Amino acid sequence: MKLNLGKLAAIAALATGLGSSAIAQEYPFRDITTAVVWGAGGGTDTINRMIMAEMEKHLPVSINVINQTGGVAGSNGMVYVMNQPDDGYTLVGLSESNVTAAVQGGWDQKFDYWYPFIVGGSPLLISVPANSPYNTLQELVDAAKAAPGSIPAAASGAGSIHHLNLLAIQNGTGAEFLFVPYKGSAPGQEAAIAGEVQLVVTSLAEQAPLIEGGQLKPLAMLTPDSADIAGMTVPSAFDIYDGLDKYLPLTQAIGFAVHDSASDDVKAALGAAFEKAIASDVVAQWAAANNYTVSGAYGAEAQAIFTKLESNFAYTLQELGATTVDPASLGIERP
């Protein structure tokens, strides 16, 4: 039988084309990795492990969560993911604190480099070890004023939301603490419990188990509202010091992201799984039990939220004298 090489070539080309289309439509066809930029056990890490476990139920693959910590405002993890292909197989687990990486010289990208998914957030507060001599925010602030720079304060890395809240408290009260950065909330809280530092700024979600367990003593919420936890009412710092509303509250937006340059198919597949996960009873119950408010914004809506956060955080840091790069030089507009 005589072979028609032209027809065979055409059939081969068609088969190759169909195969390529099938592969593109099948995303994801291998496991996904999410690299969290903050340490294990912290809020960003915990939320990512929870939401990825729920998203796995709506995807044909597993999602492995790892930690890539360090750098300025979580820049090591973001740079790591930035250097991976934009094929949707490496996600970055991040939070609002990462929007300051650029103005602090951690990397040279605006935050719209990412296509983000926001799970939610929790209000922040300032606490001390359970055996601390300070029982009110006023007592702590007065001590810091009496001996400026002598009271060590734990918070996540420079430029994190915890660090910004600490700077805001300093600016609003006239106190000066000794900032000690940690690679995430969990090690900062552990340092406070161990007596390495005398206060810690993290979220209610992260501190609640330690407060309920009698290891941390809450002094004030860094929001306009008080909070009830472990049978006590934690007052708002706004009710104690006038003028804090100039810098606070700075709110959380915790979740994950894929490269904004990823294909529409990748974004659609992740979006569909995210929507189903966010709507689940598991997430609702988890959020209620852990002092989180669920968002569910992603894509353009989440990018708009992060753009506003980036602007507010960048210029707040600049005003507080904590930037190394002019926000305007990066194209970040004033709020």
Side-chain angles (χ1 to χ4, degrees):
M1 182 177 63
K2 184 177 181 181
L3 295 176
N4 188 319
L5 296 180
K7 286 185 178 180
L8 285 176
I11 292 171
L14 178 60
T16 300
L18 289 173
S20 298
S21 298
I23 290 172
Q25 291 171 356
E26 288 173 1
Y27 171 85
F29 58 87
R30 57 184 171 85
D31 288 352
I32 296 169
T33 295
T34 298
V36 177
V37 305
W38 304 117
T44 304
D45 179 71
T46 301
I47 278 189
N48 270 278
R49 292 181 189 278
M50 181 276 298
I51 198 65
M52 295 303 157
E54 283 304 298
M55 288 176 61
E56 275 187 345
K57 298 175 182 178
H58 309 289
L59 293 169
V61 299
S62 296
I63 305 178
N64 305 310
V65 180
I66 63 173
N67 299 89
Q68 289 283 340
T69 63
V72 177
S75 59
N76 279 5
M78 290 197 294
V79 170
Y80 168 78
V81 177
M82 179 181 70
N83 288 333
Q84 306 304 310
D86 62 351
D87 54 9
Y89 287 99
T90 308
L91 312 179
V92 59
L94 41 68
S95 70
E96 74 298 317
S97 296
N98 301 120
V99 301
T100 65
V103 296
Q104 293 187 97
W107 74 336
D108 58 359
Q109 301 288 330
K110 284 182 61 179
F111 212 73
D112 59 8
Y113 181 88
W114 303 115
Y115 183 90
F117 299 74
I118 302 174
V119 179
S122 182
L124 272 70
L125 71 161
I126 184 168
S127 295
V128 294
N131 61 356
S132 171
Y134 309 117
N135 294 307
T136 67
L137 180 61
Q138 297 98 312
E139 291 177 0
L140 177 64
V141 166
D142 289 346
K145 286 181 177 180
S150 66
I151 297 178
S156 299
S160 69
I161 192 171
H162 308 129
H163 181 213
L164 286 177
N165 272 270
L166 180 65
L167 289 174
I169 283 290
Q170 289 187 157
N171 196 71
T173 65
E176 182 183 341
F177 298 103
L178 175 63
F179 169 53
V180 182
Y182 286 86
K183 293 181 179 180
S185 301
Q189 293 171 165
E190 291 166 3
I193 293 169
E196 296 175 12
V197 295
Q198 294 187 48
L199 67 102
V200 62
V201 176
T202 51
S203 74
L204 180 58
E206 293 162 321
Q207 287 194 32
L210 303 175
I211 294 171
E212 292 166 347
Q215 295 175 289
L216 287 179
K217 179 169 50 177
L219 299 186
M221 300 299 301
L222 303 183
T223 61
D225 300 317
S226 61
D228 294 324
I229 182 73
M232 69 184 87
T233 298
V234 184
S236 166
F238 286 61
D239 296 334
I240 302 169
Y241 292 98
D242 293 331
L244 284 181
D245 57 354
K246 182 179 180 181
Y247 301 104
L248 296 171
L250 298 171
T251 57
Q252 289 188 322
I254 304 174
F256 64 95
V258 66
H259 296 74
D260 188 53
S261 57
S263 71
D264 289 342
D265 287 345
V266 167
K267 294 173 180 175
L270 292 172
F274 180 67
E275 287 182 4
K276 292 174 182 176
I278 283 289
S280 71
D281 290 340
V282 171
V283 170
Q285 292 167 5
W286 182 91
N290 291 281
N291 300 291
Y292 278 101
T293 299
V294 175
S295 168
Y298 72 94
E301 181 183 3
Q303 284 176 324
I305 292 170
F306 273 112
T307 294
K308 184 176 180 180
L309 287 168
E310 181 176 46
S311 177
N312 286 334
F313 281 30
Y315 285 98
T316 296
L317 269 183
Q318 186 182 57
E319 188 173 341
L320 293 171
T323 58
T324 58
V325 178
D326 181 4
S329 71
L330 295 165
I332 301 173
E333 297 181 359
R334 282 190 174 275

